[in-house]
Amino acid sequence: MHDWTAQLEAVACRHDRDSFMRIYDHFAPRVRRYLLGLGVGGALAEELTQEALLRVWQRAQQYDPGRSNPETWIFRIARNLHLDRVRREPAWRMAQEYLDDLDGAVDGQWPPGTESYAEEAIIHQAIQQLPGIQARVIRMSYFEAKSQQAIASELGVSLGTVKSHLRHAFLKLQAELTCKR
C-alpha cells in the first residue's frame, strides 16, 4: 500500500518522478476502466487517461488533502476531461443551443417557423424516450428553470445524483439527436 497523499506531495514539492510513476502505474489502468465504464471508446479512453495523469503531474500542488482523497481528485480530473470533450461535440452543442433557446422563449411560445417547430418536436420526442428520472430532471432543469439543488431537494436525492442523471440524459440526447440529423 502507498500513501497516495504523500506521493502527490512528493510530486508537488520536488517533482519526484518515482512518486509520479507509482501514481501512474497504480491509477492509469483504473482511470482507463472508469472511462470505459462511462462509455468512452478505447482509444479515447487511453488518450483521456494520459491527459488526466499529465494533469496530475502538472497540478499536483493544487491537490488539497482537506477537500478530498487522492483517488477522488484523480478520478474527478478524468471525469472533467471527459465532460469537456463531450461538451465540444456538435450534437451536445445542438442540444444545449436548443435548451438555451427555450430559456429565451417568451411565455413558453416557441419562435415561429416550420424548422423551429420540427426541431422542437424532435427534441421533445428524444426527451420522451429517456428513462423517467432523466426526462424528469431535464424538464425540471430546462423547462421549469429549477436549479440542480432545488431538483435534488424536490426529488429527495443528492446533488451528485441529479448531476449524474443530467449528464447521462445529455449523453443519450446527444446520441439520439446525432441519429436524427
Side-chain angles (χ1 to χ4, degrees):
M1 291 295 291
H2 291 283
D3 178 359
W4 298 117
T5 300
Q7 300 296 315
L8 276 171
E9 287 173 0
V11 171
C13 296
R14 300 185 309 275
H15 296 289
D16 185 326
R17 291 176 188 221
D18 291 333
S19 293
F20 177 72
M21 288 312 300
R22 282 190 283 281
I23 291 168
Y24 183 92
D25 290 344
H26 180 78
F27 284 102
R30 289 165 175 80
V31 167
R32 185 175 188 281
R33 278 194 305 273
Y34 169 71
L35 292 167
L36 290 170
L38 292 176
V40 177
L44 182 56
E46 186 62 38
E47 179 182 331
L48 289 173
T49 298
Q50 296 294 321
E51 193 172 338
L53 288 159
L54 176 62
R55 294 248 175 119
V56 169
W57 171 258
Q58 294 169 333
R59 299 179 182 178
Q61 71 279 2
Q62 294 177 358
Y63 171 68
D64 179 0
R67 295 186 67 197
S68 68
N69 64 45
E71 294 88 347
T72 302
W73 185 69
I74 292 168
F75 281 93
R76 188 174 298 134
I77 290 170
R79 183 202 64 185
N80 289 344
L81 287 169
H82 167 61
L83 290 175
D84 289 346
R85 180 71 58 110
V86 167
R87 289 177 181 143
R88 286 192 304 261
E89 293 177 4
W92 174 275
R93 285 195 309 267
M94 184 180 88
Q96 190 61 48
E97 287 170 9
Y98 168 80
L99 294 171
D100 289 344
D101 287 346
L102 285 179
D103 287 341
V106 178
D107 297 325
Q109 296 297 314
W110 190 257
T114 307
E115 187 174 313
S116 297
Y117 288 115
E119 288 177 3
E120 179 184 11
I122 290 169
I123 296 289
H124 281 287
Q125 183 180 21
I127 291 171
Q128 288 176 341
Q129 293 176 2
L130 293 172
I133 187 69
Q134 291 175 7
R136 188 167 181 199
V137 296
I138 288 285
R139 286 186 187 107
M140 292 172 82
S141 179
Y142 291 96
F143 299 116
E144 298 173 25
K146 293 184 178 179
S147 70
Q148 292 176 352
Q149 186 60 54
I151 295 169
S153 297
E154 187 172 322
L155 296 178
V157 298
S158 72
L159 179 59
T161 300
V162 170
K163 289 180 179 187
S164 178
H165 284 308
L166 282 169
R167 180 173 48 84
H168 289 294
F170 271 119
L171 290 173
K172 288 179 183 174
L173 285 173
Q174 174 189 16
E176 181 66 26
L177 294 173
T178 300
C179 292
K180 299 281 184 185
R181 286 223 152 213

